[in-house]
Amino acid sequence: MNPLNLRNLLLLPFLTLLACTPARKLAVYPFQYSVQKKAEATHGAVVSAHPLASQVGLAILKKGGNAFDAAIATQLTLAVVYPGAGNIGGGGFLVGQTAAGKTLALDFRETAPAAAHRDLYLDAQGAVHPTKSISGHLSGGVPGTVAGLFETHRYARLPFRDLIAPAIELAEGGFAITEHEAAGLNHFRDSFLKYNSRPTAFVRATPWKAGDTLRQTELAATLRRIRDEGLPGFYGGETARLVVEEMQRGGGIISAADLSAYTAKWREPLRFAYKGYEVVSMPMPSSGGTLLAQMLRMTEGYPLAAYGHNSAAAVQLMTEVERRAFADRAEHMGDADFYPVPQAGLLDSAYLRARMRDYVPGRAGSSTLTGPGAPRKVSEQTTHLSVLDADGNAVSVTTTLNNSYGSKTVIGGAGFLLNDEMDDFSAKPGVPNLYGAVGGEANAIAPGKRMLSSMTPSIVLQNGRPWAVVGTPGGTTIPTSVFQSIVNLVDFRLDPEAAVNRPKFHHQWLPDVVYVEKGFPVEVRQQLEAMGYKLEERPQIGRTELIQVLPGGRMVAIGDGRGDDAAAGY
Ligand code: GLY
């Protein structure tokens, strides 16, 4: 247990009285909760970035909902209690498996508005504008989350109105914010003021502190329109009118026609074998599943487990496979509806073996010498939640506004933050985006196109049944964090808590740097430097939400120790 903090717990009873919210109706206590990092369960488990969201998911499971119901309710709750990344103004991906064994991949990624074009973010001299793709109205793609939620509902049991009710109540009645949330809202105060001409719920006269109440009445009204009108409650009518008005106030280009044209798309899940397990992950327009498959399979010819977890030999091998996969990402990956991604070639066994020919154990590789391959032409803020129920329904959802609090623009009158996902396109070949990722033709901006993602919601199957449900936020570090979490479980046989929380590392081809997380063993850093690697420390890499099924069928859900992430189960 990691209590919100003592001072605030002491305050909470008073806040509860003052707020008079219908906590019992919600089955959660918006002003009195703590962060539970681990939950063991036999009936069902939920893990997400916020304790209230995980508890709402748990309440839905207890009410008779399945993992899909719980995922929808958890996601909607995150849109209220975790405004930095939970969202209805963003997009994402879902990977699932039904109790009957059907695997699913749902793409609710944002699209470029019809008025977008390849050079949208270039000035007259051809230089990329430093902020327009990252903050403010022009950085937003057409949101996909609400369409994704309604598609997900095809596999749910309970009425949608029951699943959205907790989110409405939390938005209307408010909830006590965590210390992390208070810090985030204070940090971005100036941006909220800069990118909004109307007052927003996120700015107030005095700094936020843990335990303060955040009420979002405009967001509650939008959620009620979604409840009452379904998809048109978001993509048409009053909400669409408010979006268009906001665009006009701030120079954005999302139109009513863009909103009404948006559709979430079911994709063929990416499936591949790894050491006796089968991994199910996300295909394009997320690079995540393809990178994960490439990285896991490029390690296969080497005795990774014998090297030892986070040993210099293991980290070097994994760094070199990350380098090669990310070089391919920059050159070959984008929305496959718009660009001929050589998908089969990228995953071809002979190709992946050939990619490792210039790997030299004990000596640092080079991103200048090792660029993208030539596969056969065949053909920091996001959030993740994992849910598993006793019937075997498994749901892995990663969703995002892109940067923390997205574009920082709140749709006036509708109360939700717009994403800044346009920055995930390649604004100009070779020019890095927010995450330092480069790209080219494959990921150039085009109207209606989906920007390349790194999100990697995944399920690992054993004998066809869910064995691990896993995913994380973290921009380009997402595929490498999922890669390392799976290797930690499968190769190094770490327990799920250690698999999530041990320090991680990341290489993405360019820049040619190994990022190591704070706390990474000093002697391993020194050994890597001696091999010729350039290292940089990052305060954190990823926030992994993992559910693993133990022998005998018990589930263990682990919320990452790096944030407010919380597990729930029964
Ligand atoms: N916005 C981060 C990603 O989609 O990868």
Side-chain angles (χ1 to χ4, degrees), residues 51 61 65 81 129 141-142 197 213 229 305 329 363 384 424 444 498:
L61 288 174
V81 299
H129 190 280
V142 183
S197 53
T213 299
E229 300 164 35
R329 182 191 195 275
R363 198 166 80 214
H384 182 82
D424 273 349

Side-chain angles (χ1 to χ4, degrees), residues 93 109 286 329 381-382 400-403 421 424 435 451-455 475-476 478:
F93 300 99
R109 182 68 160 166
S286 182
R329 182 191 195 275
Q381 193 56 288
T382 299
T400 188
L401 289 167
N402 195 22
N403 210 353
E421 220 68 63
D424 273 349
Y435 302 106
M451 54 296 284
L452 183 64
S453 173
S454 300
M455 290 187 271
T476 45
I478 294 173

Side-chain angles (χ1 to χ4, degrees), residues 549-565:
V549 180
L550 301 181
R554 276 186 83 73
M555 307 167 205
V556 181
I558 304 293
D560 197 309
R562 295 166 179 88
D564 294 328
D565 309 50

